[in-house]
Amino acid sequence: LAECLSCLESIKQVITPSSRNYGDAMVCALVQKEANTAWRLYEEMLKSNLIPNLETIEALFSSGRNFSDTDYTTKLINTLLLLRDNQIFPDESLMLAVKSWFESLPGQQWEGQLTAVPRGSQCPSCGTQLESILLSEEEYLQLQSRIMNDVIHGTDVFKKTTPEELERFQKFVKRCPPFDVVIDGLNVANISSKERQSQTLLDVVSYLANQGQRLLVLGRKHMLKETHAWKRHHIATIQDKATCFFTENVSEDDPFLLYATLHSGNHCKFLSRDLMRDHKACLPDSSTRRLFFKWQRGHQLVISSYIPGKKIVLQVTPNVDTIIQT
């Protein structure tokens, strides 16, 4: 252990140690039953804005069966809250370690079971009402305000668009009835290499329009020109089936996508493969980032299967929030 800690201190002289560096030292401490040292390194890691990896957290829970004191138990519960707040999803190995730890707690008679949650919102094993993926009205308004201020009107957005274009789009959206689905046209058009882009986008728009959805397709002006990838008659048909807005070719699509979706209300979803990581990073605090991630999971549509001219399958959006429940 002393050699491991010495190595960690040497790394600190050059760079900030990684989560893996801290994790290796913590595991070494736990193997030698130096729990206080492991938790000291854990706190040090968090102060450096590092998140422990799943293997490290699993080692903490696996070792927890050897420490029955209240302090260790409290720290493990706080670790579960860390997973929740940072939307970290345990893998099977960690899940089983958490299950075993709870079942090992003396006098508490915990029993863990593996189960599958149906389309309802109740756990079929214990009957507990699970947390909805939908934001409350208060949470939605809070997120809407922060997105508008920190992402839509933030200084970074104008690096790839202009205030004038964004204002023109906002006026355009306000004149329209609320949309059911906002489509990132260029992103969706590139889901297949077997079909030209305009045909792919038309297939997807037709699929959603046939379900009675009110659609907004966001595109770029180069899509209006006749090319091998973009056929004008395809775009004309898309414009018949959906409302369309075409930005400048250098503009960033995401701010427009987020604005239109949030402006249309909590029922509106968006279709894109983009993970929106850059925009989550623009948000000022962990609470708002958690709300954004929850909203994203409940509102983002993703095409899981596309066979040109034959089949389109959308990934099912969950009814319940897929994070550690409290």
Side-chain angles (χ1 to χ4, degrees):
L1 177 59
E3 184 178 345
C4 187
L5 295 177
S6 176
C7 182
L8 187 63
E9 289 301 318
S10 297
I11 294 173
K12 291 179 188 177
Q13 302 303 314
V14 183
I15 58 172
T16 300
S18 66
S19 295
R20 173 65 66 185
N21 297 146
Y22 274 109
D24 290 343
M26 288 171 62
V27 170
C28 182
L30 291 168
V31 167
Q32 298 191 27
K33 294 185 168 47
E34 294 285 346
N36 289 336
T37 301
W39 286 113
R40 177 178 62 78
L41 294 171
Y42 176 88
E43 295 297 333
E44 189 177 305
M45 179 167 42
L46 296 186
K47 288 178 182 177
S48 298
N49 293 320
L50 296 171
I51 300 296
N53 57 38
L54 296 184
E55 292 87 350
T56 304
I57 296 173
E58 181 182 341
L60 289 169
F61 276 95
S62 296
S63 297
R65 285 171 285 180
N66 301 320
F67 300 94
S68 58
D69 60 286
T70 304
D71 184 53
Y72 199 107
T73 299
T74 300
K75 287 175 178 176
L76 284 182
I77 295 297
N78 287 336
T79 300
L80 292 175
L81 295 176
L82 176 81
L83 295 179
R84 172 184 168 84
D85 291 342
N86 289 276
Q87 295 87 43
I88 299 171
F89 305 101
D91 57 17
E92 184 176 3
S93 182
L94 173 55
M95 175 195 66
L96 292 174
V98 173
K99 174 179 176 292
S100 296
W101 174 73
F102 270 106
E103 291 174 338
S104 73
L105 292 175
Q108 297 200 26
Q109 298 181 333
W110 286 96
E111 181 183 350
Q113 295 181 2
L114 303 183
T115 188
V117 179
R119 288 297 291 167
S121 58
Q122 195 173 52
C123 175
S125 180
C126 67
T128 299
Q129 194 75 15
L130 300 176
E131 188 175 333
S132 172
I133 192 65
L134 297 177
L135 302 184
S136 67
E137 183 177 357
E138 181 182 353
E139 289 175 328
Y140 183 79
L141 292 175
Q142 177 188 339
L143 178 65
Q144 187 183 51
S145 173
R146 297 317 297 253
I147 290 288
M148 297 301 179
N149 292 330
D150 298 313
V151 177
I152 306 300
H153 295 296
T155 55
D156 287 346
V157 73
F158 299 128
K159 291 178 181 178
K160 292 188 177 180
T161 185
T162 63
E164 293 76 20
E165 183 177 47
L166 191 59
E167 183 179 2
R168 181 168 63 89
F169 177 70
Q170 289 174 313
K171 290 180 179 179
F172 167 83
V173 169
K174 289 175 182 177
R175 291 196 302 268
C176 299
F179 299 104
D180 298 314
V181 181
V182 180
I183 300 172
D184 184 340
L186 200 56
N187 185 287
V188 168
N190 284 297
I191 61 172
S192 173
S193 59
K194 298 179 180 179
E195 185 62 89
R196 61 167 45 96
Q197 291 168 302
S198 59
Q199 182 64 64
T200 300
L201 182 56
L202 175 57
D203 286 348
V204 173
V205 168
S206 299
Y207 173 80
L208 292 170
N210 290 340
Q211 297 178 8
Q213 306 276 17
R214 183 182 293 277
L215 307 175
L216 170 63
V217 177
L218 298 175
R220 294 184 184 168
K221 289 184 177 179
H222 73 80
M223 295 162 60
L224 297 170
K225 295 181 179 179
E226 179 78 17
T227 63
H228 174 74
W230 297 98
K231 296 299 179 183
R232 282 180 179 168
H233 68 279
H234 289 159
I235 297 299
T237 306
I238 289 170
Q239 289 174 308
D240 287 339
K241 294 176 179 289
T243 302
C244 298
F245 186 91
F246 297 94
T247 66
E248 297 296 331
N249 294 328
V250 297
S251 294
E252 176 68 53
D253 297 319
D254 297 346
F256 298 90
L257 183 80
L258 292 173
Y259 178 84
T261 307
L262 286 164
H263 185 272
S264 291
N266 208 0
H267 75 285
C268 183
K269 300 183 185 300
F270 67 95
L271 178 58
S272 175
R273 294 177 298 170
D274 195 314
L275 297 178
M276 307 285 172
R277 288 195 180 101
D278 291 344
H279 305 298
K280 280 198 282 272
C282 291
L283 297 171
D285 55 79
S286 60
S287 174
T288 307
R289 286 192 291 271
R290 185 184 65 80
L291 286 181
F292 180 85
F293 193 73
K294 181 177 180 179
W295 172 81
Q296 182 182 7
R297 292 198 307 278
H299 290 78
Q300 183 165 8
L301 301 175
V302 176
I303 297 172
S304 58
S305 178
Y306 170 64
I307 301 176
K310 294 183 180 179
K311 184 175 76 169
I312 295 175
V313 178
L314 295 179
Q315 185 174 303
V316 176
T317 303
N319 287 338
V320 297
D321 201 356
T322 50
I323 60 171
I324 290 176
Q325 305 280 311
T326 55

